[in-house]
Amino acid sequence: MRKSFYLGCFFTVASALFAQGQSTMSPSTNAAYTKKRGLILNVTFTDFATADRIGKSSLSSVINNKRVSKLKDMSPGFGLTYLESLSSNVDFASSFNATSLSYLFKNGGAPRSESFLFEADANVNVRLLPQNYVVNPYLTAGVGASYYDVYFGAYMPLGVGFHVKISDQDVIRLQAQYRIGVSSMTNDHFNLSLGFGNMWGKAKPEVKPLPPAPVDTDGDGIFDNVDQCPTVKGVAQYNGCPVPDSDNDGIADDVDKCPTVAGLAKYNGCPIPDTDGDGINDEMDKCPAVAGVARLQGCPEKDTDGDGVMDDSDRCPDVAGPASNGGCPERKAPTEVEVKQVQEAAKFIYFETGSAKLKATSNPALARVVKVLNDNKDAVIKIEGHTDNVGTAALNQKLSEDRAASVKKALVGKGVGESRITSTGFSFDKPIAPNTTAAGRAKNRRVVMILE
């Protein structure tokens, strides 16, 4: 507790000294921090008596009773200090002092004769003003070791001082320390010193940190500090953000002629056009300039015969007819007599053997069929060719088709419209008698005509 009290007293004294000397302190012309080293030659004065009195009573008692040792009562000595600036406000100081005195130990005892007290310490000095001030107060603290007669000791120096620049190299240092003994025989004491020294060193320019290199996270050429979308590539026009695409069609608004409607690049961002407005886009419309219907791929419906049935569903697109009959005119059904006449005529159609060539004897029968067809213009006729089973199926099939076609050709040659006639061959698939006899095979070789 007593040592803490001493320390507080000395810091109070340091503050007072600083306040008194502040008006005389002014910065020198050299404002740059200089890395300097120097040696200081000191005259020292060591005072054990005042510290001992304070320890036995109090600081106020010693001051009030005027029991503070005068300079002539202190033990003079000499010392050398190595000083090195660590920064504009911090110095490192290492001192060695020698003083001839009669040591006052902690137990109050003293040797019978004087001897040299050697002290060495290392301190950190904190200047209260930047390095460029002429008069600069500082606080000091450190650790030290002593040797007296045959005794080694340890102490902790605490104090204040003034660093005065006479020139860029020459300095005066005034320092007061209270040295607190921390070993068993080492006693507290005051140490005052006045030093003259020389400093050397070159100015150390202040190293200012380089500003951080500009970063462009998304690699769009716009640095993050001004990029409003630093993780997405963009353009300067939009402060580093991508060009907007309002309709999400992949085409930026600044080149999209339809920015609010999704479209295609080939149409500058607009949808596929529908020129004729029929709801079928031009790319699918076979008649893009004329409105049409989807089932005709965008082309309009046609009704060539004007019967109200469109051509694409009109079985008779060139002839008017009701829808109930597929757009064809209603036909007059053939009479039973007409049907029978045609059936009977078919029995007298003859061909060369194994051939589709009609015999001349067939002409009367063909003439009767033509007359029936001419009398009933609405009637149509089906011609079927049939064979026996002699020969291969393929040969008989061809022969049956060829014979039916020959009859059709003969009727067309006599003026009957081809569209009214159909012909089909059935080979020997529809026999009307057994093919096991000559008579049966003769019946199976026939032409059938069906009037409708």
Side-chain angles (χ1 to χ4, degrees):
M1 291 295 292
R2 188 173 291 175
K3 291 179 181 178
S4 298
F5 173 73
Y6 298 157
L7 181 59
C9 293
F10 271 88
F11 276 105
T12 303
V13 173
S15 299
L17 289 172
F18 171 66
Q20 291 176 0
Q22 192 172 17
S23 61
T24 62
M25 300 172 190
S26 60
S28 68
T29 56
N30 182 16
Y33 162 59
T34 303
K35 176 73 173 180
K36 285 193 172 184
R37 298 180 178 87
L39 292 175
I40 312 294
L41 185 62
N42 302 300
V43 176
T44 65
F45 296 90
T46 302
D47 178 13
F48 277 88
T50 301
D52 186 61
R53 292 175 195 135
I54 293 171
K56 290 177 180 179
S57 58
S58 67
L59 176 62
S60 60
S61 174
V62 171
I63 293 174
N64 291 335
N65 293 321
K66 299 181 180 179
R67 300 187 65 197
V68 177
S69 298
K70 293 182 173 56
L71 196 64
K72 64 183 181 63
D73 298 323
M74 300 179 186
S75 300
F78 62 91
L80 184 66
T81 298
Y82 169 75
L83 188 67
E84 180 177 342
S85 57
L86 302 179
S87 71
S88 183
N89 290 87
V90 180
D91 294 334
F92 168 76
S94 179
S95 300
F96 176 81
N97 298 324
T99 306
S100 179
L101 49 72
S102 180
Y103 197 95
L104 182 64
F105 294 106
K106 275 188 177 180
N107 59 10
R112 284 172 291 184
S113 60
E114 287 190 1
S115 182
F116 272 99
L117 170 66
F118 298 103
E119 293 178 309
D121 54 53
N123 298 274
V124 174
N125 300 341
V126 180
R127 281 183 258 115
L128 303 184
L129 298 172
Q131 187 188 44
N132 56 310
Y133 276 73
V134 174
V135 179
N136 205 332
Y138 64 87
L139 302 178
T140 181
V143 294
S146 63
Y147 177 76
Y148 181 80
D149 198 5
V150 294
Y151 300 101
F152 287 94
Y155 62 90
M156 184 173 67
L158 303 172
V160 296
F162 285 90
H163 182 102
V164 182
K165 294 173 64 174
I166 301 174
S167 68
D168 283 343
Q169 287 80 34
D170 301 317
V171 297
I172 296 175
R173 285 172 65 88
L174 177 63
Q175 180 175 281
Q177 284 185 336
Y178 185 79
R179 296 180 171 176
I180 303 170
V182 294
S183 57
S184 60
M185 297 294 289
T186 307
N187 205 352
D188 299 351
H189 58 284
F190 287 101
N191 181 274
L192 306 179
S193 67
L194 175 64
F196 301 88
N198 183 266
M199 306 292 293
W200 64 89
K202 295 182 179 180
K204 182 177 180 181
E206 293 186 70
V207 179
K208 295 182 179 180
L210 294 175
V215 177
D216 180 13
T217 302
D218 54 20
D220 59 4
I222 302 165
F223 296 126
D224 288 2
N225 59 335
V226 294
D227 194 332
Q228 292 185 4
C229 301
T231 59
V232 182
K233 286 188 177 182
V235 295
Q237 179 183 353
Y238 292 97
N239 300 315
C241 291
V243 180
D245 178 14
S246 302
D247 53 18
N248 295 315
D249 59 2
I251 302 161
D253 285 358
D254 59 347
V255 295
D256 195 333
K257 290 187 176 180
C258 301
T260 60
V261 182
L264 303 177
K266 65 188 291 187
Y267 296 111
N268 299 313
C270 291
I272 301 173
D274 177 15
T275 303
D276 53 20
D278 59 5
I280 303 163
N281 69 59
D282 288 0
E283 290 187 357
M284 304 296 293
D285 198 331
K286 288 191 174 181
C287 302
V290 182
V293 294
R295 61 189 175 84
L296 296 178
Q297 296 178 290
C299 289
E301 295 179 305
K302 293 175 66 177
D303 181 12
T304 303
D305 55 17
D307 59 4
V309 182
M310 298 300 111
D311 287 0
D312 63 316
S313 57
D314 195 333
R315 291 192 293 125
C316 302
D318 298 320
V319 182
S324 60
N325 199 38
C328 291
E330 292 184 347
R331 293 187 298 110
K332 178 184 175 182
T335 65
E336 290 184 9
V337 173
E338 291 172 333
V339 171
K340 194 169 184 179
Q341 286 176 345
V342 170
Q343 289 177 345
E344 290 296 322
K347 296 177 181 179
F348 299 96
I349 302 297
Y350 304 105
F351 299 93
E352 298 290 342
T353 302
S355 170
K357 184 179 179 181
L358 285 165
K359 289 184 176 183
T361 55
S362 301
N363 288 332
L366 291 173
R368 289 194 298 273
V369 173
V370 170
K371 184 178 185 305
V372 172
L373 291 171
N374 288 339
D375 290 343
N376 189 346
K377 297 293 186 183
D378 290 334
V380 295
I381 190 170
K382 293 180 181 178
I383 303 172
E384 297 179 354
H386 299 270
T387 66
D388 59 24
N389 66 348
V390 177
T392 66
L395 288 175
N396 279 292
Q397 179 63 42
K398 184 176 185 310
L399 180 60
S400 65
E401 290 175 359
D402 290 347
R403 284 181 172 178
S406 294
V407 175
K408 177 180 178 179
K409 183 177 178 181
L411 294 176
V412 171
K414 294 179 181 297
V416 180
E418 187 174 359
S419 63
R420 299 173 66 189
I421 308 170
T422 59
S423 65
T424 310
F426 290 96
S427 184
F428 47 74
D429 294 338
K430 294 183 178 184
I432 59 175
N435 281 307
T436 55
T437 64
R441 288 193 291 273
K443 289 181 181 180
N444 289 333
R445 295 190 297 271
R446 68 195 186 279
V447 169
V448 176
M449 293 184 185
I450 304 167
L451 189 69
E452 294 180 343

